[in-house]
Amino acid sequence: MKLKLIALALILCMTAVSCSSKEDSSYTSPESSGQTSIKGIENSDEVVRIPDSSTAMENKFKDIPTAESGPLISVNNVTAKAGETAEVTVSVKGADLNWSMCGIHLTYPEELDCVLMEEETNSVEFKKGVASEYNTGFIALECEWQNNPPEELIKKNLSALFFTVMFKGNQGQDGDIATFYFDVPEDAESGTVYPIGFYYMETDMFRNFEGDMSLEKYAFENLQTGSITVE
């Protein structure tokens, strides 16, 4: 029970860090090396820099050995008509009964509306897949960056959701982790392709109970993006 409470607390902490920022923060222009500069508490000169995905990944995994194989996390390619709701599924293979927790940002164009379960809390509607069958906690939230949106997402006109799943042990399976829903604009032109991808923060994870960081490194360095194509 104690371990479960600790893991749940970690999930809530990850969610707060990943998809929110202080209301009194102010966004400033980006500096060199592809980083976003963020001023912290009001009247403070301290600057917190949020690296872009590639820099964050390099920082986190620079001293971690590279595995020859590991988990492959992917998003499917789907079609939908203008005005319809597209079903986007995140899956994993190569990690059957060898992962215990994940925390992942999924990105999508601002033109799409992520379907919410509860607007007040930004809870995202989702359907759990077989890979998450034995989970003990699943949270999915639409990210609200407030005054501190990541520069990487601004440049690409992307929004993001964050989801995290936990298990008692290595009970995560291969297969679909979850399906999320996106409303396609009613005026979307046939042939339009909306990319569905990933945004990496250093708080993100895909980990087994043993804490094998080579497994996590492989998972994030081999993410496979997907898309929604308008029929």
Side-chain angles (χ1 to χ4, degrees):
M1 177 62 71
K2 182 177 180 181
L3 180 62
K4 181 177 179 180
L5 291 175
I6 291 173
L8 181 57
L10 177 60
I11 279 186
L12 294 175
C13 180
M14 287 168 53
T15 304
V17 169
S18 296
C19 279
S20 65
S21 57
K22 297 186 178 185
E23 292 185 5
D24 57 2
S25 298
S26 59
Y27 174 76
T28 61
S29 60
E31 297 183 355
S32 60
S33 71
Q35 295 180 332
T36 300
S37 296
I38 298 173
K39 282 210 170 181
I41 301 174
E42 191 175 359
N43 299 323
S44 171
D45 292 330
E46 182 181 359
V47 175
V48 179
R49 298 179 178 179
I50 300 179
D52 59 23
S53 290
S54 59
T55 303
M57 207 174 295
E58 181 180 350
N59 290 340
K60 186 167 182 179
F61 299 124
K62 61 182 178 181
D63 298 322
I64 305 299
T66 301
E68 293 184 1
S69 61
L72 291 175
I73 301 171
S74 63
V75 182
N76 61 342
N77 296 297
V78 299
T79 61
K81 296 180 181 178
E84 289 187 341
T85 299
E87 299 185 0
V88 172
T89 300
V90 180
S91 304
V92 62
K93 63 180 180 180
D96 195 38
L97 297 177
N98 192 33
W99 63 285
S100 62
M101 182 180 291
C102 75
I104 298 173
H105 287 83
L106 193 68
T107 62
Y108 53 94
E110 292 179 345
E111 296 90 339
L112 299 176
D113 287 327
C114 180
V115 178
L116 301 181
M117 183 185 308
E118 187 178 86
E119 292 189 7
E120 185 176 351
T121 60
N122 290 330
S123 296
V124 171
E125 184 174 338
F126 64 89
K127 179 176 66 177
K128 289 179 286 189
V130 65
S132 305
E133 182 177 359
Y134 301 117
N135 83 89
T136 55
F138 197 127
I139 298 172
L141 297 174
E142 183 180 41
C143 290
E144 275 204 340
W145 308 101
Q146 298 178 356
N147 294 326
N148 297 330
E151 181 71 10
E152 180 177 345
L153 299 188
I154 292 176
K155 289 180 178 179
K156 298 177 181 179
N157 297 316
L158 296 176
S159 297
L161 65 85
F162 176 78
F163 69 92
T164 179
V165 191
M166 63 169 285
F167 304 85
K168 287 182 179 179
N170 290 330
Q171 296 178 342
Q173 301 179 80
D174 279 354
D176 295 345
I177 298 175
T179 297
F180 303 99
Y181 305 93
F182 298 92
D183 290 335
V184 177
E186 293 186 1
D187 59 353
E189 296 184 2
S190 177
T192 299
V193 178
Y194 298 107
I196 309 296
F198 301 94
Y199 171 68
Y200 181 78
M201 293 183 69
E202 289 191 36
T203 50
D204 290 358
M205 64 170 61
F206 188 89
R207 199 164 298 178
N208 60 15
F209 197 72
E210 293 74 27
D212 183 355
M213 292 302 293
S214 291
L215 176 144
E216 180 166 299
K217 178 180 180 179
Y218 190 95
F220 283 108
E221 289 187 345
N222 292 277
L223 295 170
Q224 299 175 357
T225 61
S227 64
I228 299 172
T229 301
V230 181
E231 295 180 3

